[in-house]
């Protein structure tokens, strides 16, 4: 085969970029030209398929013509007959002239594709690494779960054993108390039966003198037996309950639930506490605390009891407060209220329908705190600027026609005091009679400054 460029020499190589056959001279020229300096030229014997490389590509429409031209509009190689035919008006050029441009485009796309391949390989590598990390992490978490479960099961089993031990101790304690009570009652019954039988035998079989002789001893014995106190009910009850939702603290580092409840609230032992237990102020929020205790007088330390509180005015039967009862969940209950009417109230606090210790009791609601309307001053003379008509509630006067108090004069308290009521404590409540009450109005004068 001949050279596609000079048509004189024999083809010694082939441009892999252009696809043209080249003689040795054209091979060297192809490498020297600027446009084709970057093309890959290989010897024909080094190509993978020399037979295919040496064969020209023929036009499928014109089998005798070689594809040497390229139609830019149709973007496909064409032969000479195609250019003269249906590609007549299309811009065409030799493949050797356009190969560099289209080759560069392909190379750019190839470079972009190679970069994309590298990126995909990196992503695949990261995915594989993440898959390995997920697998390792899942195995580690599974080990943690198993360890947690083992510890949790151990904690629950220990808590179970502890609850069963508490139950057994409680049962033994109750049984021992019942056995002790039973023994005491049996001994008392035996003593009474012996005394009764002896007395019956004495009355039936003895003479009058014998009865009279032993009467004192027998009477004393029977009186002593009859005076021995004993409980008419069993000393303990069977109130043993298990609460699965009760918090039971920590066991082996785990929070566990479930507790044995054997305490029973005793209203007679429940107590009331608080500074506002017996006194309150009108229109001010007040309250007290109820502390529930069991039959042994110990703090219940759990809530849920039925607490009912009523606060009723003693003079106005239709006037009753609506207290709020807050269960703290620890055996204490906060009772709060805000009285609108002053006066004396009756307060009833009941647990399970029974009055607690100290209930019912009285509550005195005072009128709302009265603020001072005057001036906290040293004397009327100083505060009024020497006005003779200025009077003070302390009742002091000065010579020379002054109606108010002054330093060192009769009636002067000798310290700062309120001009409206004479109180010497600055943070005190005003003693002035409220508007509408004229019973002592004339005794209290305030000075207008």
């Amino acid at each position: 085969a001949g050279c596609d460029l000079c048509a004189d020499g024999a083809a010694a190589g082939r441009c892999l970029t252009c696809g043209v056959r080249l003689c040795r001279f054209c091979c060297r020229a192809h490498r020297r030209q600027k446009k084709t300096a970057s093309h890959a030229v290989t010897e024909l014997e080094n190509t993978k398929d020399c037979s295919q490389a040496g064969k020209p590509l023929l036009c499928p429409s014109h089998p005798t013509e070689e594809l040497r031209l390229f139609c830019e509009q149709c973007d496909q190689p064409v032969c000479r007959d195609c250019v003269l035919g249906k590609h007549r008006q299309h811009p065409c050029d030799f493949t050797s002239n356009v190969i560099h441009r289209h080759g560069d485009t392909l190379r750019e796309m190839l470079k972009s594709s190679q970069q994309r391949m590298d990126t995909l390989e990196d992503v695949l590598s990261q995915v594989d690494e993440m898959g390995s990390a997920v697998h390792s992490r899942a195995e580690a978490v599974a080990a943690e779960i198993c360890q947690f479960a083992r510890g949790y099961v151990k904690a629950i089993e220990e808590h179970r054993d502890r609850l069963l031990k508490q139950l057994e101790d409680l049962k033994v304690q109750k049984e021992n108390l019942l056995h002790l009570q039973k023994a005491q009652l049996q001994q008392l019954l035996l003593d009474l039966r012996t005394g009764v039988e002896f007395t019956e035998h004495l009355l039936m079989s003895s003479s009058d003198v014998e009865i009279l002789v032993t009467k004192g001893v027998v009477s004393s014995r029977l009186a002593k037996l009859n005076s021995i106190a004993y409980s008419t009910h069993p000393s303990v009850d069977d109130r043993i309950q298990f609460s699965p939702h009760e918090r039971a603290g920590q066991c082996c580092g785990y929070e566990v639930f479930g507790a044995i409840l054997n305490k029973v609230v005793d209203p007679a032992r429940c107590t009331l506490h608080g500074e506002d237990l017996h006194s309150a102020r009108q229109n001010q929020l007040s309250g007290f605390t109820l502390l529930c205790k069991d039959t042994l007088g110990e703090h219940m330390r759990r809530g849920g009891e039925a607490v009912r509180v009523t606060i009723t005015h003693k003079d106005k039967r239709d006037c009753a407060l609506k207290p709020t009862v807050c269960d703290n969940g620890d055996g204490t209950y906060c009772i709060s209220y805000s009285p609108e009417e002053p006066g004396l109230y009756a307060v009833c606090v009941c647990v399970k329908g029974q009055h607690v210790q100290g209930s019912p009791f009285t509550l005195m609601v005072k009128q709302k705190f009265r603020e001072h309307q005057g001036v906290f001053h040293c004397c009327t003379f100083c505060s009024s600027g020497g006005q003779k008509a200025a009077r003070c509630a302390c009742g002091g006067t000065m010579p020379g026609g002054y109606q108010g108090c002054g330093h060192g004069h009769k009636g002067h308290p000798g310290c700062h005091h309120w001009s409206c009521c004479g109180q010497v404590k600055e943070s005190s409540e005003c003693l002035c009679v409220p508007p509408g009450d004229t019973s002592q109005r004339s005794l209290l004068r305030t000075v207008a400054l």
Side-chain angles (χ1 to χ4, degrees), residues 238-280:
D238 61 347
R239 295 179 183 177
I240 303 176
Q241 295 178 334
F242 175 68
S243 175
H245 304 294
E246 191 90 7
R247 292 182 179 272
Q250 296 280 333
C251 184
C252 299
Y254 295 85
E255 185 176 7
V256 291
F257 293 83
I260 296 176
L261 307 179
N262 64 309
K263 290 187 175 183
V264 180
V265 66
D266 185 358
R269 293 180 179 270
C270 299
T271 54
L272 300 171
H273 306 271
E275 297 180 356
D276 299 334
L277 189 59
H278 297 284
S279 63

Side-chain angles (χ1 to χ4, degrees), residues 13-154:
R14 182 179 179 83
C15 178
L16 298 180
T17 306
C18 302
V20 296
R21 295 184 301 271
L22 303 171
C23 63
R24 294 191 180 280
F25 177 79
C26 291
C27 283
R28 291 192 294 269
H30 205 65
R31 291 191 180 99
R32 288 196 299 268
Q33 292 180 3
K34 180 182 287 189
K35 291 183 177 181
T36 59
S38 60
H39 291 192
V41 179
T42 182
E43 300 293 334
L44 286 179
E45 58 269 23
N46 293 334
T47 58
K48 293 183 180 179
D49 191 353
C50 295
S51 60
Q52 291 293 333
K55 292 182 179 180
L57 296 177
L58 300 179
C59 179
S61 301
H62 308 93
T64 59
E65 294 294 330
E66 186 178 353
L67 295 174
R68 290 177 175 273
L69 300 167
F70 186 80
C71 179
E72 296 287 352
Q73 181 172 333
C74 298
D75 195 29
Q76 66 179 21
V78 294
C79 67
R80 182 182 57 182
D81 291 346
C82 292
V83 173
L84 297 176
K86 62 179 182 180
H87 296 275
R88 180 184 298 274
Q89 302 297 328
H90 296 178
C92 297
D93 200 353
F94 287 101
T95 55
S96 59
N97 295 333
V98 299
I99 188 61
H100 67 279
R101 177 162 49 85
H102 291 280
D104 291 343
T105 302
L106 284 175
R107 275 188 291 274
E108 289 297 327
M109 293 183 67
L110 176 61
K111 183 178 179 181
S112 176
S113 299
Q114 289 174 341
Q115 292 177 349
R116 188 173 182 84
M117 286 175 58
D118 295 339
T119 304
L120 287 173
E121 288 177 353
D122 291 340
V123 173
L124 285 172
S125 177
Q126 294 178 12
V127 169
D128 291 339
E129 291 177 358
M130 185 57 67
S132 300
V134 169
H135 181 73
S136 300
R137 187 58 187 155
E139 289 183 346
V141 172
E144 292 178 5
I145 292 174
C146 292
Q147 183 179 1
F148 170 81
R150 286 193 297 269
Y152 206 178
V153 170
K154 181 180 178 182

